[in-house]
Amino acid sequence: MGLTERVMELGKRLFRIEEVDGRGPMAFDTPPGLYIHVPFCPDFCGFCPYNKIKYDSKLTGNYLIALKREADLERIGYFSSIYIGGGTPSYDLELLNGIVSHFREMTSGEIALEVHPADASSKRLEKIREIGVNFVSLGIQSFDDYTLNSMGRKRQDSGVSLNSIAETTSAGFDFVDVDLIFDYQLERRRIVEDLKTAISYGPEQVSVYPMMRFTDTAYKSTKNDPEKELDILEELENTALSNGYIRDSLWTFKKVDEGRKYSSVSREFFMGIGTSASSFNGKEFRTNTFSLEEYFSFLDTGKLPVRKTIKMKKFSAILYYSFWALYGGQLDLSRVEELFGRLPLRMGCLLNSATARGYLQREKEIIKPTMSGVRKLHIIEEWLTYNFIDQIWTDLRREARDHSVSSESLL
């Protein structure tokens, strides 16, 4: 059995998804990052797997109240950063203002927002800055009309893409990330040109994701091809290098001299609030209900709206933590011991085995993936996505539909 297969087998045995009916507050030893999910969208894009609800201004006021109530139940007063995603959190600026106004004093770190290109006019971006957002991730996905149409992107064409990146990169934000997506089934030149175009506007970071083929999306009947995706990513890395950007993590490129990053995924520990939001504290990974009605109901009764959990002992927690650290570019062993205590023998053996095979390179306490290691991480990441994240989301999405039908039958 190869090393990649060993890691996957460990994951199957160690990460058991459990159904729960709410949970108590999560304890954190260090301030976590805060992720706030805003599920409301004016239109649904065919490729998007995230929890989303048709925008209704009558719901947003109650949702803001519920977010505050959930945060109060978690009993955490300070966060290392705040990331707001969705959904389309840039669509309703009144709701955004209510969220940022309430939480902004709880962090001295960045306040980050996902922005849809259709919401990136100069006037709206100025308002977003005034609200208090200083990091933005612009969801371009592509500058190519054919690519945008093939993925079912709504409220956007190539003209909107180009106008939005020009406005956003000149709007005065502290940090701009541009999100791109590629489908290996389309011509490679399309994503290469997309990356060149994005870089030409000088954002601090460009994130380039392979199209994920989640259940309940337009791509559910197709399959991913990790090898083809990896070949494309390596060509993109060469393109980035020739334009003053380096590969900073598995799927991101940043300016050579840029020390910061836009990332809500590879945070050490994070707390998520809102429908579908996930949290990780080093002992447990948990995910909230996808149902808005159930989300409100949980909080009305004073319970946190958690529906899925994966409990972790020391080895499994270190394995999970180490994967995401390597995904983000490096693993600091001294930090691992600071957070979890002495490294378990089998974790040390696993890291030594990966190093001996040329997948990792170590300098004192810092471990980084090699080029071949990045390829292995890509394969493991997609396996993790399809075997755990997609399973959790599919179950919760089905339960949300069932809960909605049940609620309607009572009316």
Side-chain angles (χ1 to χ4, degrees), residues 89-157:
S90 59
Y91 185 70
D92 185 332
L93 297 190
E94 183 178 349
L95 175 59
L96 177 66
N97 186 49
I99 292 171
V100 175
S101 295
H102 182 77
F103 290 99
R104 68 188 306 168
E105 299 303 321
M106 299 181 188
T107 187
S108 58
E110 67 267 28
I111 298 177
L113 176 71
E114 294 175 1
V115 176
H116 189 291
D119 300 328
S121 66
S122 59
K123 185 176 181 180
R124 289 179 67 86
L125 291 170
E126 182 180 2
K127 177 62 176 175
I128 288 169
R129 281 189 62 217
E130 290 173 353
I131 285 171
V133 171
N134 56 359
F135 275 42
V136 294
S137 179
L138 182 64
I140 290 288
Q141 319 310 353
S142 180
F143 298 96
D144 176 67
D145 281 324
Y146 183 84
T147 302
L148 290 168
N149 290 333
S150 72
M151 67 175 65
R153 186 61 162 164
K154 299 294 178 66
R155 304 172 62 219
Q156 183 181 349
D157 58 20

Side-chain angles (χ1 to χ4, degrees), residues 75-359:
R75 302 173 190 168
I76 298 174
Y78 182 80
F79 302 96
S80 60
S81 60
I82 297 174
Y83 280 71
I84 305 168
T88 312
S90 59
Y91 185 70
D92 185 332
L93 297 190
E94 183 178 349
L95 175 59
L96 177 66
N97 186 49
I99 292 171
V100 175
S101 295
H102 182 77
F103 290 99
R104 68 188 306 168
E105 299 303 321
M106 299 181 188
T107 187
S108 58
E110 67 267 28
I111 298 177
L113 176 71
E114 294 175 1
V115 176
H116 189 291
D119 300 328
S121 66
S122 59
K123 185 176 181 180
R124 289 179 67 86
L125 291 170
E126 182 180 2
K127 177 62 176 175
I128 288 169
R129 281 189 62 217
E130 290 173 353
I131 285 171
V133 171
N134 56 359
F135 275 42
V136 294
S137 179
L138 182 64
I140 290 288
Q141 319 310 353
S142 180
F143 298 96
D144 176 67
D145 281 324
Y146 183 84
T147 302
L148 290 168
N149 290 333
S150 72
M151 67 175 65
R153 186 61 162 164
K154 299 294 178 66
R155 304 172 62 219
Q156 183 181 349
D157 58 20
S158 59
V160 172
S161 296
L162 290 166
N163 288 336
S164 67
I165 193 171
E167 295 287 0
T168 304
T169 52
S170 61
F173 291 103
D174 292 347
F175 194 101
V176 175
D177 166 65
V178 175
D179 270 9
L180 301 175
I181 292 179
F182 71 90
D183 183 355
Y184 75 88
Q185 298 179 69
L186 301 182
E187 295 171 279
R188 185 177 301 191
R189 66 170 179 82
R190 296 180 187 275
I191 183 57
V192 173
E193 288 303 314
D194 277 346
L195 179 59
K196 289 179 179 178
T197 301
I199 286 175
S200 71
Y201 286 88
E204 282 71 23
Q205 177 178 297
V206 181
S207 301
V208 187
Y209 303 98
M211 178 65 71
M212 302 304 287
R213 290 154 158 78
F214 280 87
T215 306
D216 291 326
T217 70
Y219 288 82
K220 62 184 178 182
S221 60
T222 64
K223 291 185 178 181
N224 64 312
D225 189 324
E227 292 300 325
K228 289 182 180 179
E229 291 166 355
L230 284 162
D231 288 343
I232 292 170
L233 284 165
E234 287 181 6
E235 181 172 347
L236 294 177
E237 181 172 9
N238 291 332
T239 300
L241 282 170
S242 65
N243 287 277
Y245 285 68
I246 59 171
R247 194 171 188 171
D248 177 52
S249 72
L250 204 59
W251 295 335
T252 62
F253 305 94
K254 69 177 184 180
K255 287 181 176 178
V256 172
D257 57 353
E258 179 57 62
R260 302 162 299 171
K261 64 170 63 179
Y262 189 107
S263 176
S264 58
V265 173
S266 55
R267 297 273 153 181
E268 280 189 334
F269 305 114
F270 50 90
M271 189 183 84
I273 62 173
T275 57
S276 79
S278 292
S279 305
F280 174 64
N281 68 348
K283 301 178 182 68
E284 179 186 5
F285 178 89
R286 55 169 63 168
T287 304
N288 285 352
T289 177
F290 272 47
S291 165
L292 185 61
E293 295 93 342
E294 188 173 54
Y295 179 71
F296 289 153
S297 177
F298 266 116
L299 293 167
D300 284 343
T301 57
K303 289 200 301 184
L304 288 168
V306 181
R307 269 303 185 187
K308 299 286 185 179
T309 182
I310 300 175
K311 298 174 185 175
M312 301 182 193
K313 295 183 178 179
K314 180 177 178 178
F315 174 68
S316 55
I318 292 176
L319 185 67
Y320 179 92
Y321 175 93
S322 298
F323 168 78
W324 285 110
L326 290 168
Y327 170 100
Q330 69 175 39
L331 173 65
D332 184 341
L333 293 179
S334 61
R335 182 62 175 161
V336 174
E337 294 203 354
E338 180 183 340
L339 294 170
F340 298 98
R342 187 174 180 179
L343 198 69
L345 180 61
R346 55 177 171 166
M347 188 67 203
C349 290
L350 194 63
L351 292 172
N352 288 338
S353 180
T355 303
R357 285 171 165 81
Y359 302 144

